[in-house]
């Protein structure tokens, strides 16, 4: 292996899980060089079969590598391959480094407690050997496995997480969808204000220093006795149009028997019921009412206003405890155990309707005929027309899975993604790399999307207390 050694260039040794997570990872290191150990290729080969997302990613990696080695000779393999030789590499303006494969045995001594025949330890041996062979090159092991990075650090090796998939450096920087206005807001922004009414709705057009910080459909409020709550309907950096938010806290403005319990829930109902907003994301801890609000708004828009033909609900099927194995029945019957939240909320919505027992039963049958439960596994290639699509537990999806789902939307479809970034169950996903975080950040400037973070739990005093102290 004739690796180009340079103090300015790093040599990144990729762990298998990095390529399984992002097939295009080999293009994410710009001018630096990449090294793929033989054991990584072996692990990729063992994981290429099947219909899972990991298997699809592995097959895509294999296609990239196959393009790279087209017409390769033993000499060219020794010298490495310029990554720029793939025409559809992500950004042609970036200067890419070279990709090297392990072509010979590399040996080094590990502690006796770390046998080399384990795949992870075999990679550590290779990193140790490369560090000794190329002392002037900064050798970096890149792995999504925390324990792998800990073992590397114990051996004095430089190891890093794969950062390219992180939307934010700190989850506290994530867009929250709302902003508090100071008490002097109108003194600063009200001098050139215009106001008007249209179809019973009140609008304000204003200018000021805060306008450049706002996003479309952001929720603005004043935390004083004025009870001012508004939604940013448009903003161009200099001017903004605000609309007074509708108040769904009162019983006569209920939505399918549900009223907003707090300020964030009121805003959520405003955007959920707005047919001009095609995409809504709701974040919040357990008990903040995410699923209940999304379902109540869906029933109102589907059964009462007849804007959508039906409600479709789906979620990632990851168990909290041990897997219970295969489930019998149709697609809906297999998904039923995962949709306990749907059934619980439908039961609550039925009890709030104010009807007697017979009427509640008839309403329940009508509702269930308009609600379909679908598995994520069968979403690829579909197109949903005039549907109200709820994606539950969206924090467990990757950015690529999110793209697959959102691009299923046909004309007249509204998608609602709900989740809790504190309850991620998917391996190698964190709050900063979750697909839910990714879409919140990417859609915040689109005029037909809205986001809100629900803060206050409304499930019960027991659930609220447990969320705080446990």
């Amino acid at each position: 292996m004739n690796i180009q050694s340079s103090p300015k260039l790093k040599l990144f040794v990729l762990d298998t899980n990095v390529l399984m997570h992002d097939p295009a990872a080999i293009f994410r290191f710009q001018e630096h060089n990449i090294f793929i150990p033989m054991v990584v290729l072996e692990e990729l080969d063992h994981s290429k079969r099947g219909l899972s997302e990991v298997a699809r990613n592995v097959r895509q990696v294999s296609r990239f590598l196959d393009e790279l080695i087209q017409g390769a000779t033993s000499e060219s393999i020794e010298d490495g391959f310029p990554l720029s030789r793939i025409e559809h590499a992500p950004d042609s303006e970036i200067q890419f480094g070279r990709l090297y494969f392990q072509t010979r045995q590399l040996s080094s001594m590990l502690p006796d407690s770390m046998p080399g025949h384990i795949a992870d330890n075999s990679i550590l041996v290779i990193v140790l050997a490369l560090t000794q062979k190329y002392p002037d090159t900064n050798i970096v092991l890149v792995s999504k496995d925390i324990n792998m990075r800990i073992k590397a650090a114990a051996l004095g090796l430089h190891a890093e997480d794969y950062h390219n998939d992180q939307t934010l450096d700190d989850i506290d920087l994530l867009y929250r969808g709302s902003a508090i206005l100071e008490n002097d807001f109108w003194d600063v922004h009200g001098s050139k204000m215009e106001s008007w009414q249209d179809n019973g709705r009140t609008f304000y057009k204003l200018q000021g220093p805060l306008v450049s910080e706002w996003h479309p459909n952001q929720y603005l409020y004043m935390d004083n006795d004025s009870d001012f709550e508004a939604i940013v309907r448009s903003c161009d950096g200099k001017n903004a149009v605000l609309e007074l938010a509708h108040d769904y806290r009162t019983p006569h403005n209920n939505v399918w028997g549900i009223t907003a319990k707090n300020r964030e829930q009121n805003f959520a109902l405003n955007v959920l019921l707005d047919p001009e907003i095609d995409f809504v994301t709701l974040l919040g801890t357990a008990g903040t009412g995410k699923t209940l609000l999304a379902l109540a708004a869906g029933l109102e828009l589907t059964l009462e206003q007849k804007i959508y033909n039906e409600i479709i609900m789906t979620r990632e099927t990851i168990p909290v405890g041990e897997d219970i194995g295969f489930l019998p029945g149709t697609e809906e019957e297999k998904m039923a155990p995962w949709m306990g939240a749907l059934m619980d909320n439908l039961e609550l919505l039925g009890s709030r309707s104010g009807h007697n027992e017979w009427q509640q039963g008839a309403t329940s049958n009508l509702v269930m005929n308009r609600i379909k439960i679908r598995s994520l596994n069968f979403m690829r290639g579909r197109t949903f027309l005039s549907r109200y699509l709820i994606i539950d537990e969206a924090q467990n999806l990757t950015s690529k899975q999110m793209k697959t789902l959102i691009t299923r939307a046909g004309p007249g479809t509204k998608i609602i993604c709900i989740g809790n970034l504190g309850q991620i169950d998917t391996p190698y996903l964190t709050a900063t790399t979750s697909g839910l975080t990714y879409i919140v950040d990417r859609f915040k400037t689109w005029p037909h999307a809205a986001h809100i973070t629900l803060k206050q739990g409304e499930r019960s005093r027991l659930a609220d207390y447990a969320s705080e102290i446990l």
Side-chain angles (χ1 to χ4, degrees):
M1 292 173 294
N2 303 318
I3 297 178
Q4 298 178 359
S5 180
S6 171
K8 296 182 180 180
L9 296 179
K10 296 180 180 180
L11 179 64
F12 290 98
V13 182
L14 302 189
D15 195 0
T16 314
N17 49 52
V18 174
L19 295 172
M20 288 179 170
H21 181 72
D22 183 4
I26 57 177
F27 305 109
R28 308 300 190 194
F29 296 91
Q30 297 186 357
E31 75 274 13
H32 300 289
N33 298 323
I34 297 171
F35 185 91
I36 297 182
M38 193 59 64
V39 65
V40 170
L41 295 177
E42 292 290 339
E43 288 192 300
L44 290 175
D45 186 60
H46 294 154
S47 304
K48 67 184 180 182
R49 297 171 183 83
L51 301 176
S52 66
E53 190 74 18
V54 169
R56 283 190 285 267
N57 288 346
V58 169
R59 290 194 292 270
Q60 182 59 57
V61 171
S62 299
R63 286 189 283 269
F64 282 146
L65 298 181
D66 181 56
E67 287 189 60
L68 278 171
I69 65 173
Q70 290 291 333
T73 63
S74 58
E75 291 79 11
S76 61
I77 293 178
E78 288 286 331
D79 294 334
F81 301 96
L83 290 167
S84 57
R85 69 181 296 177
I86 294 186
E87 295 181 359
H88 54 269
D91 190 342
S92 58
E93 296 182 0
I94 293 178
Q95 180 184 356
F96 291 111
R98 303 180 75 85
L99 174 66
Y100 297 91
F101 294 101
Q102 180 188 355
T103 57
R104 64 190 64 161
Q105 185 70 29
L106 295 173
S107 61
S108 187
M109 294 298 294
L110 284 179
D112 294 336
S113 59
M114 299 173 66
H117 62 271
I118 299 176
D120 284 0
N121 294 349
S122 299
I123 296 174
L124 292 175
V125 167
I126 292 169
V127 178
L128 270 174
L130 290 172
T131 303
Q132 295 166 3
K133 187 174 181 179
Y134 303 97
D136 296 333
T137 302
N138 188 358
I139 311 290
V140 181
L141 171 63
V142 183
S143 176
K144 298 291 293 180
D145 188 344
I146 297 175
N147 292 329
M148 180 73 153
R149 299 199 300 269
I150 292 174
K151 288 195 289 186
L155 295 172
L157 302 174
H158 185 188
E160 295 180 358
D161 191 4
Y162 180 62
H163 296 293
N164 190 268
D165 61 339
Q166 291 188 357
T167 305
L168 302 167
D169 293 330
D170 188 347
I171 195 60
D172 290 334
L173 301 176
L174 182 64
Y175 174 59
R176 296 186 178 275
S178 62
I180 303 177
L181 303 178
E182 299 296 335
N183 291 334
D184 62 348
F185 171 77
W186 293 113
D187 297 334
V188 177
H189 296 76
S191 59
K192 298 181 180 179
M193 183 187 68
E194 302 176 21
S195 64
W196 69 93
Q197 288 192 338
D198 184 13
N199 293 328
R201 299 183 298 172
T202 303
F203 295 88
Y204 299 95
K205 184 177 181 179
L206 44 81
Q207 301 176 356
L210 290 179
V211 170
S212 60
E213 302 175 6
W214 294 340
H215 297 293
N217 299 314
Q218 189 172 4
Y219 185 46
L220 307 177
Y221 64 93
M222 302 186 74
D223 200 9
N224 55 23
D225 296 335
S226 68
D227 294 329
F228 176 77
E229 299 175 0
I231 302 171
V232 180
R233 286 309 185 189
S234 65
C235 53
D236 58 10
K238 296 181 179 180
N239 300 284
V241 176
L242 309 184
E243 179 190 346
L244 286 184
H246 196 71
D247 189 4
Y248 290 101
R249 299 181 184 89
T250 57
H252 67 276
N253 282 335
N254 70 82
V255 180
W256 207 262
I258 295 298
T259 57
K261 300 294 185 182
N262 53 56
R263 182 181 289 122
E264 288 78 22
Q265 285 192 0
N266 188 60
F267 172 69
L269 287 175
N270 270 273
V271 294
L272 287 169
L273 293 169
D274 189 347
E276 292 299 316
I277 297 178
D278 301 330
F279 187 71
V280 179
T281 49
L282 300 178
L283 286 182
T285 57
T288 49
K290 305 181 296 295
T291 306
L292 179 64
L293 296 173
L295 195 54
L299 292 173
E300 176 70 22
L301 295 173
T302 303
L303 295 179
E304 296 293 335
Q305 301 184 25
K306 303 186 186 305
I307 295 177
Y308 306 104
N309 294 335
E310 65 181 7
I311 299 172
I312 296 177
M313 195 163 185
T314 186
R315 57 162 287 179
E316 181 72 295
T317 52
I318 298 178
V320 175
E322 291 294 328
D323 198 339
I324 61 175
F326 291 103
L327 298 171
T330 63
E331 179 185 357
E332 289 208 6
E333 290 170 342
K334 290 176 185 292
M335 288 295 296
W338 305 103
M339 290 299 172
L342 169 65
M343 302 306 173
D344 294 341
N345 285 290
L346 283 177
E347 183 179 348
L348 176 59
L349 290 170
S351 65
R352 294 290 184 89
S353 63
H355 298 153
N356 57 41
E357 185 175 348
W358 182 88
Q359 291 172 320
Q360 288 181 17
T363 302
S364 177
N365 291 332
L366 175 64
V367 166
M368 289 308 298
N369 287 333
R370 303 296 289 274
I371 296 179
K372 298 294 186 292
I373 301 171
R374 293 290 178 258
S375 171
L376 288 176
N377 298 334
F378 308 112
M379 290 294 187
R380 192 180 295 271
R382 297 195 61 181
T383 300
F384 296 110
L385 303 175
S386 300
R387 301 296 196 273
Y388 185 91
L389 176 59
I390 301 175
I391 304 174
D392 199 6
E393 303 293 342
Q395 76 275 2
N396 289 318
L397 301 175
T398 66
S399 57
K400 293 181 179 60
Q401 289 173 317
M402 277 294 187
K403 179 180 179 181
T404 299
L405 288 173
I406 297 171
T407 53
R408 300 306 98 211
T413 289
K414 187 185 186 92
I415 296 181
I416 294 87
C417 292
I418 54 183
N420 177 8
L421 292 174
Q423 294 182 345
I424 296 177
D425 303 309
T426 304
Y428 306 127
L429 276 188
T430 63
T432 57
T433 61
S434 168
L436 185 55
T437 303
Y438 178 75
I439 60 172
V440 169
D441 186 68
R442 291 301 179 95
F443 275 87
K444 64 185 179 183
T445 58
W446 193 46
H448 299 287
H451 167 72
I452 189 64
T453 301
L454 302 172
K455 304 174 184 177
Q456 185 176 343
E458 300 290 352
R459 181 167 289 166
S460 69
R461 60 188 180 191
L462 172 60
D464 295 343
Y465 185 67
S467 297
E468 293 176 4
I469 68 166
L470 298 182

